[in-house]
Amino acid sequence: MESEASNWKKTKQPRSKDPIFHPGFYSELPLLLTKVEGAYLEDGKSLSNWDVFCHSIGCAEGGDNGDIADDHYHMFMEDIEAMHSLGLDAYRFSISWARILPRGRFGEVNPAGIKFYNKIIDNLILRGIEPFVTINHNDLPQELEDRYGSWLNAEMQEDFLYLAEVCFKSFGDRVKYWVTINEPNMYIELAFEQGVFPPSRCSEPFGNCVYGNSDVEPLVAMHNMLLAHGRAAKLYHEEFQPKQGGLIGLVAHCFMFEPITDSELDREAAKRAFAFSVGWPLDPAIFGEYPEEMQKYLGSKLPSFSLEEKKFMKNSIDFIGINHYSALYAKDCTTSSCSATGNRAIQGFVDRVGEHDGVLIGERTGLEYLFVVPRGMEEIVNLIKTRYNNTPMFITENGYSSPDLQEQRVNELVNDVKRVEFHTSYLASLAKSMREGADVRGYFVWSLMDSYEWLEGYNVRFGLYYVDRQTLTRIPKLSARWYKNFLTNNSLVIDKNASRTKRLFTKDVM
């Protein structure tokens, strides 16, 4: 399919010595506006599910919330200038549903919300930065939860379709890259299985919630979410893409699962872990069906697509978004003793663990479930390439979380050598898969600046910029300098034999 977006891509100029990073291979940064935007009740925005969740029961240690966050709502021009100074090609951000449709389809479009995102989009384009827009990333107007239970009700499909249509009409003349929903697999697991995200629904052994059924509700919620994606993609492909010339995709959270032993049972467990995680949203979006492994182990609990739904779900995406941070071991639970949660059909009878015989799969990060495993990038991209016929891919998130230790001073936080090492090693791994033919179109660093990280609040930091929580001043870290140099061909790999300071800015290539 020839589109305005693909024509634009071909005109981009190469900025890397490595031919793998070809003209049009985007170097980008994402920000989830719910996590940086703030202004939670300004200019007509309504309460979102996260606003209510954080204000009622507290969603992060210490009572942190996103009321102000990084105040991107008022400081977006400064942030766009930072992106421009780094030399970025594109910027991935998400729309706050409650800002542009405070009451969903039960109220009016908020003109102040539309104006805000128009200003962001126009100023990005003015500086040669391509807007890469996610329509929904976890947050939604609380009214939709109160009215009918949000994603547990098929009505949510209508609300999402309306949201998508408003976005296409308002921004599609300039936005050429759309993501319908970010990480539906991760969101559903945390919100309806473990119950740690709103609406906090779960059951034992996954959690102790007031309401919920962890064995069934995740399947129902995901089914509605996928149908919402499919219907929005159908609308875009039929009514907007021919005129606007953009592309639309879906983003999945993608752990790489490695068998914990070389046994056949554990190798099969690793395949099931992928199917029950990554395949859960991507198989329907490309093949129009849930993975065979899910159908086998879940049986009648797994919702099915009608013939009409299969038709519009199949090939409903123009690209796959891969959010990859880490790898985990997969252990078979069909014949072995496992954890209470691993020994469940909803998990595919697989335990997902980070260590084997007391040895971690990789170095720990600021989040206990994420480890530094660079080989996982090459492995997950190759696996997705093979399973999905090398559908075009973007690495839509990849980043390193460092803990916010109280004894650390600002100069220690900004001298983030481990973050530089992380991105250098993961980019080298990505380049290997690209040399083997993976159709990867771009790479996003998560994230531009330290932000509100959901349940972790401000206690872990992914940003290239440090944000002073008192003044909200953005201070570039060592990783920001490194990334700028990387984009201008001054830095690509770390020479392990050089001093730490010198090796961050070599002129080597992969």
Side-chain angles (χ1 to χ4, degrees), residues 379-452:
E379 292 171 350
I380 193 66
V381 169
N382 286 343
L383 183 53
I384 290 174
K385 175 188 75 172
T386 301
R387 187 177 182 104
Y388 302 115
N389 305 315
N390 209 11
T391 296
M393 293 169 270
F394 286 87
I395 307 303
T396 38
E397 289 180 25
N398 177 239
Y400 176 82
S401 59
S402 55
D404 182 16
L405 302 177
Q406 294 299 317
E407 64 269 20
Q408 285 184 306
R409 299 179 181 178
V410 173
N411 64 333
E412 294 172 319
L413 289 169
V414 299
N415 188 33
D416 56 342
V417 171
K418 285 187 177 296
R419 180 168 290 105
V420 175
E421 292 175 339
F422 177 95
H423 285 294
T424 302
S425 59
Y426 272 72
L427 278 166
S429 183
L430 175 62
K432 291 179 182 177
S433 61
M434 292 173 67
R435 290 193 187 99
E436 294 167 5
D439 187 5
V440 179
R441 306 289 178 89
Y443 172 88
F444 290 83
V445 171
W446 183 273
S447 60
L448 176 65
M449 55 191 172
D450 295 336
S451 64
Y452 179 67

Side-chain angles (χ1 to χ4, degrees), residues 257 270-281 283 291-294 387:
F257 296 102
K271 293 178 182 178
R272 286 202 307 282
F274 178 92
F276 274 72
S277 178
V278 183
W280 193 8
D283 271 35
E292 291 181 1
E293 296 91 337
M294 295 190 75
R387 187 177 182 104

Side-chain angles (χ1 to χ4, degrees), residues 144-218:
L144 305 186
E145 184 64 47
D146 296 338
R147 272 182 179 264
Y148 55 74
S150 69
W151 291 111
L152 287 175
N153 195 309
E155 279 199 51
M156 193 65 163
Q157 298 174 36
E158 301 296 334
D159 263 294
F160 183 80
L161 186 63
Y162 181 49
L163 168 66
E165 184 176 19
V166 169
C167 289
F168 299 150
K169 286 180 177 179
S170 302
F171 315 124
D173 58 325
R174 288 150 294 151
V175 173
K176 304 306 176 187
Y177 294 89
W178 292 101
V179 171
T180 52
I181 301 172
N182 183 80
E183 294 185 341
N185 52 342
M186 178 65 79
Y187 170 73
I188 292 298
E189 182 173 342
L190 294 174
F192 295 96
E193 184 176 305
Q194 297 181 23
V196 293
F197 275 18
S200 303
R201 298 182 68 91
C202 68
S203 59
E204 297 289 353
F206 295 94
N208 184 23
C209 303
V210 177
Y211 305 103
N213 184 331
S214 296
D215 294 305
V216 175
E217 287 190 351

Side-chain angles (χ1 to χ4, degrees), residues 54 92 155 168 172 239 264 270 297 331 361 363 374 384 395 418 427:
C54 292
R92 178 176 172 235
E155 279 199 51
F168 299 150
E239 298 188 22
E264 181 63 26
Y297 285 93
K331 177 186 176 184
I361 193 171
E363 182 182 342
I384 290 174
I395 307 303
K418 285 187 177 296
L427 278 166

Side-chain angles (χ1 to χ4, degrees), residues 177-181 229 247-251 316-321:
Y177 294 89
W178 292 101
V179 171
T180 52
I181 301 172
H229 151 78
L247 302 173
I248 194 164
L250 185 68
V251 168
S316 59
I317 55 177
D318 302 315
F319 63 86
I320 296 170

